[in-house]
Amino acid sequence: MLAETITLAFQAIRRNAMRSFLTVLGVIIGVAAVVAMVTIGQGASDQVTAQIEGQGANLIFLSAVEGEFDAPAKPFDSDDVEALIEQIPAVLTAAPFGSTQMTLVNGNLNHATQVTGTDSRYLIVTGRNLIHGRAFTPGEEASGVAVCILGETVRQALFGRADPVGMRIRLGAISCEVVGLLEPLGGGGFGRDEDDIVLIPMRTFQRRIQGTRDIYAIQIALRDGTSNSGGVSAIESLMRERRRIAPDEDDDFNVLSMDQIAEMLADVTGVLTGLLASIAGVSLLVGGIGIMNIMLVSVTERTREIGIRLAVGAQAGQVLMQFLIEAVVLSMFGGVIGLVLGFVLAAVVAQYMGIPFSPDLAVAALAFVFSAFIGVVFGYFPARRAARLDPIEALRHQ
Amino acid sequence: MTDTVIELQGVTRVYGAGDTEVRALDGIDLVIRKGEFVAIMGPSGSGKSTALNVLGCLDSPTSGQYRFKGVEVGTLDRDQRALLRRHFLGFVFQGYNLLPRTSALMNVELPLIYKGMPRQDRLVAAAAALDKVGLAHRAHHDPSELSGGQQQRVAIARALAGNPEVILADEPTGNLDTKRSVEIMELLQGLNRDGMTIIMVTHEDDMAEYAGRLIWMVDGRIERDAPTRKAVADAG
């Protein structure tokens, strides 16, 4: 009986192929949106996780800002960096961090990027390696000469595939010798490119670009096996002490751990997911109403058929089942198309954004179940109407 | 009395209430035995269609008793009446009422699907029923490819396929010309000779003559219930 009913549902849908397709368009769009969104979200989150793990989950960012809007506050100095390393056992190492947007020039090629002033401890803090050349020497760091280390993206923009080490580029007005090349990390989460970076010694950054000895940010790496929150509070109390903040005063600096960054990213992803989910929800609702509408039309068109079925002995439940299954098959047909479309969309977006494409079987199953659910919910009312028809009236229907 | 299939006592069917009340059936007493071929006639509005609907368990009496094979139909709910139709009744309609865009064979299969017959048995039974009405060669044609007479024969095959106790026919020749009508009536007569109980509503005297018993209804009552002239002649 069930097999016949399902066959019948397919027949009914095939007879009205165009109408059926237009009807399930809403479900197609809804399911495609959900599938694409979840798949892209999963890819982005996989990447962020990988990146955080790659950079070390123990990374902490300390910046001299205060208040709700991160207004610049009293800067740090190099003693602060040393104090963090020496006085907090959990701190593995720390590096000063200053950055600004500049245009780099090599011959007739130029490239605008983030120029970062730091020292060689930066490589330990971020867990990055050089694939070519060398780090800054202590002498270079002390005297502030113009040397730089390039990220892969910058190298490609200025040198193509050529070896930049030993070459000179211009950073604004500064002529700078390339001494090293960073190992590429690959595309960043949400389109941020971690390889689009130039490192110069902090002293050089202060002297030649910033014009002061101020340090506005410090990157800190905690030792493996130490607690993130413990590290954060140790840094906070040390900084409060060094900056002489009274117990009743607020911090005039900000400590941000990777955990917190991951949380913020999760929040952003959550907001995006919520937004897309509501669009998908509306689309599925409209799709469901479309199915209900077309099923009502179908019940009216096939009133006589229903009368015939009732006359030959179909029970109300069997008629209900027939139309319910038809609605579910219709809706799942939309679900399958939407699923394929969603995965294709996710693959394209993943390619474009440079994030991994992570299709999930659970998502496919969910889309399947969800579209069936839509069919049941919105097919029930028309099916019940069919089941309640009076056989005599139905047979008389023209 | 073991061969009594249908027994009505004081059956009424009332539509509406108050001033608009219509007594379509107004106290019907009737016994139909196995193997009878009964024609019901009467002017329009005499209640003959309502009578057929009640007899066919598509409708329930408002009052009175209707026993089908000893079962009191008035106490059954919709689904129980559907089961009675499924297992004991076959219908033939004026407008054929075949499923469109569905082959003759599949139309005949329909009641067997609801009987829960396995597919293979179903195909055999449906083909046999089509053969009985002389349409085996048209089994895979859609109703739209068949003439009116052929469509009605498919409908009769459908009624037969479930091997019912009674076939109810509502003006089975109403849409057909005389030649086709005669063919259909001869087919029904043949089925009756093989033992099938048939109840037919018609407004054509010629067609009623194929039956063995004629019930004449007026205003929801049975005015006359007698053997047809032909039956008298055959007996005589």
Side-chain angles (χ1 to χ4, degrees):
Chain A
M1 187 73 221
L2 188 68
E4 279 88 17
T5 313
I6 292 172
T7 313
L8 202 68
F10 275 104
Q11 271 175 10
I13 290 164
R14 209 173 47 227
R15 270 176 197 163
N16 290 303
M18 191 62 183
R19 183 169 93 181
S20 302
F21 176 75
L22 292 175
T23 300
V24 297
L25 208 53
V27 175
I28 292 175
I29 294 169
V31 169
V34 173
V35 167
M37 153 197 106
V38 173
T39 307
I40 294 166
Q42 188 61 45
S45 133
D46 283 358
Q47 193 186 29
V48 168
T49 308
Q51 213 164 17
I52 286 172
E53 276 166 4
Q55 288 193 341
N58 296 336
L59 193 64
I60 289 175
F61 206 78
L62 173 61
S63 49
V65 292
E66 64 185 335
E68 201 183 337
F69 304 106
D70 286 352
K74 192 177 88 176
F76 305 110
D77 57 31
S78 54
D79 289 347
D80 288 324
V81 179
E82 303 313 321
L84 283 164
I85 297 169
E86 281 159 24
Q87 293 181 29
I88 302 175
V91 170
L92 175 68
T93 189
F97 183 89
S99 88
T100 188
Q101 186 79 19
M102 290 184 88
T103 300
L104 316 187
V105 181
N106 174 39
N108 55 3
L109 296 174
N110 59 66
H111 180 68
T113 190
Q114 204 72 19
V115 173
T116 298
T118 185
D119 58 35
S120 51
R121 288 176 296 200
Y122 174 89
L123 298 175
I124 301 166
V125 170
T126 57
R128 300 193 66 162
N129 299 312
L130 297 175
I131 43 168
H132 191 43
R134 58 170 178 83
F136 308 133
T137 64
E140 285 166 348
E141 283 173 1
S143 58
V145 296
V147 290
C148 61
I149 297 171
L150 304 187
E152 178 62 22
T153 305
V154 177
R155 180 192 76 144
Q156 280 173 18
L158 296 182
F159 294 97
R161 293 186 168 180
D163 181 6
V165 173
M167 309 290 280
R168 297 194 80 83
I169 59 170
R170 273 199 309 109
L171 276 71
I174 310 159
S175 173
C176 184
E177 183 193 347
V178 180
V179 295
L181 185 63
L182 283 168
E183 183 180 28
L185 271 185
F190 298 104
R192 207 174 97 220
D193 182 0
E194 299 286 345
D195 296 320
D196 193 4
I197 187 174
V198 173
L199 304 179
I200 60 172
M202 191 64 201
R203 189 75 198 91
T204 317
F205 184 81
Q206 289 168 333
R207 266 183 47 196
R208 308 285 298 268
I209 296 167
Q210 190 173 267
T212 68
R213 302 202 61 152
D214 297 338
I215 296 170
Y216 286 94
I218 301 172
Q219 286 191 344
I220 303 158
L222 295 181
R223 288 182 200 282
D224 283 343
T226 59
S227 102
N228 223 304
S229 56
V232 168
S233 55
I235 292 164
E236 273 171 355
S237 47
L238 178 67
M239 281 298 127
R240 284 183 74 88
E241 186 192 318
R242 288 183 63 83
R243 293 160 79 87
R244 302 188 210 304
I245 300 168
D248 59 344
E249 281 177 322
D250 287 337
D251 291 351
D252 63 352
F253 59 90
N254 182 268
V255 185
L256 195 62
S257 69
M258 254 325 180
D259 279 4
Q260 289 167 299
I261 292 173
E263 250 171 61
M264 281 163 56
L265 281 174
D267 283 352
V268 172
T269 314
V271 169
L272 279 175
T273 304
L275 196 73
L276 283 164
S278 53
I279 293 170
V282 169
S283 181
L284 284 173
L285 181 70
V286 171
I289 291 169
I291 284 177
M292 179 149 77
N293 185 34
I294 221 67
M295 287 309 296
L296 284 171
V297 169
S298 183
V299 168
T300 306
E301 279 179 353
R302 288 155 67 192
T303 298
R304 201 184 253 265
E305 174 194 323
I306 295 163
I308 295 166
R309 289 177 181 279
L310 291 169
V312 303
Q315 289 177 315
Q318 292 172 317
V319 173
L320 181 100
M321 216 36 149
Q322 182 191 336
F323 282 89
L324 205 54
I325 286 177
E326 195 171 314
V328 168
V329 168
L330 193 62
S331 180
M332 285 178 80
F333 165 71
V336 170
I337 297 181
L339 180 67
V340 172
L341 204 65
F343 274 149
V344 169
L345 198 69
V348 170
V349 171
Q351 175 75 25
Y352 182 73
M353 279 174 58
I355 59 174
F357 171 55
S358 334
D360 192 347
L361 214 64
V363 173
L366 190 75
F368 226 66
V369 171
F370 200 71
S371 55
F373 175 73
I374 293 273
V376 171
V377 168
F378 290 94
Y380 182 76
F381 175 67
R384 198 186 60 171
R385 174 178 280 196
R388 286 186 176 179
L389 284 175
D390 173 40
I392 299 166
E393 291 292 323
L395 282 167
R396 232 178 259 156
H397 186 87
Q398 288 306 310
Chain B
M1 288 299 279
T2 49
D3 61 350
T4 298
V5 183
I6 283 169
E7 190 177 0
L8 279 74
Q9 280 176 352
V11 165
T12 66
R13 181 65 176 94
V14 182
Y15 296 109
D19 290 347
T20 58
E21 183 181 286
V22 176
R23 300 181 77 81
L25 297 182
D26 192 4
I28 301 280
D29 299 314
L30 179 66
V31 173
I32 294 173
R33 292 192 175 77
K34 189 164 171 56
E36 280 197 272
F37 187 170
V38 181
I40 302 176
M41 294 190 74
S44 60
S46 60
K48 54 188 193 297
S49 285
T50 305
L52 200 72
N53 287 338
V54 169
L55 290 174
C57 302
L58 287 165
D59 202 355
S60 262
T62 307
S63 68
Q65 289 183 321
Y66 170 24
R67 275 188 295 277
F68 182 88
K69 284 174 74 79
V71 176
E72 181 53 55
V73 176
T75 62
L76 301 180
D77 65 20
R78 238 185 98 123
D79 279 347
Q80 288 170 323
R81 278 187 278 128
L83 288 179
L84 267 189
R85 295 197 295 273
R86 182 186 299 178
H87 292 288
F88 301 111
L89 299 169
F91 290 88
V92 178
F93 305 95
Q94 179 177 0
Y96 325 131
N97 275 337
L98 299 177
L99 295 183
R101 293 181 287 191
T102 305
S103 74
L105 190 68
M106 283 173 75
N107 263 291
V108 177
E109 260 188 272
L110 188 66
L112 307 178
I113 292 176
Y114 288 107
K115 274 194 156 184
M117 195 183 275
R119 193 178 138 77
Q120 276 311 320
D121 299 358
R122 224 160 62 205
L123 287 172
V124 171
L130 273 178
D131 193 38
K132 223 173 196 171
V133 301
L135 278 180
H137 62 296
R138 307 290 274 174
H140 298 288
H141 289 261
D142 282 2
S144 60
E145 299 166 329
L146 300 173
S147 71
Q150 286 174 330
Q151 288 189 52
Q152 193 59 300
R153 281 196 275 162
V154 172
I156 291 171
R158 179 179 64 193
L160 270 180
N163 196 20
E165 195 80 18
V166 179
I167 288 182
L168 298 128
D170 189 1
E171 306 219 15
T173 59
N175 288 9
L176 301 172
D177 61 31
T178 312
K179 188 161 179 286
R180 309 292 156 219
S181 295
V182 168
E183 282 173 17
I184 292 296
M185 290 318 300
E186 282 173 350
L187 178 57
L188 289 175
Q189 204 170 38
L191 295 174
N192 174 244
R193 279 202 199 99
D194 294 343
M196 181 62 69
T197 310
I198 299 175
I199 304 171
M200 173 182 75
V201 164
T202 184
H203 58 261
E204 293 168 276
D205 293 330
D206 298 353
M207 302 305 142
E209 277 306 312
Y210 285 88
R213 176 180 171 191
L214 174 65
I215 292 172
W216 182 264
M217 287 184 69
V218 175
D219 290 340
R221 292 198 184 86
I222 296 179
E223 184 154 295
R224 197 169 70 232
D225 180 355
T228 53
R229 276 172 307 206
K230 181 174 157 296
V232 172
D234 287 352

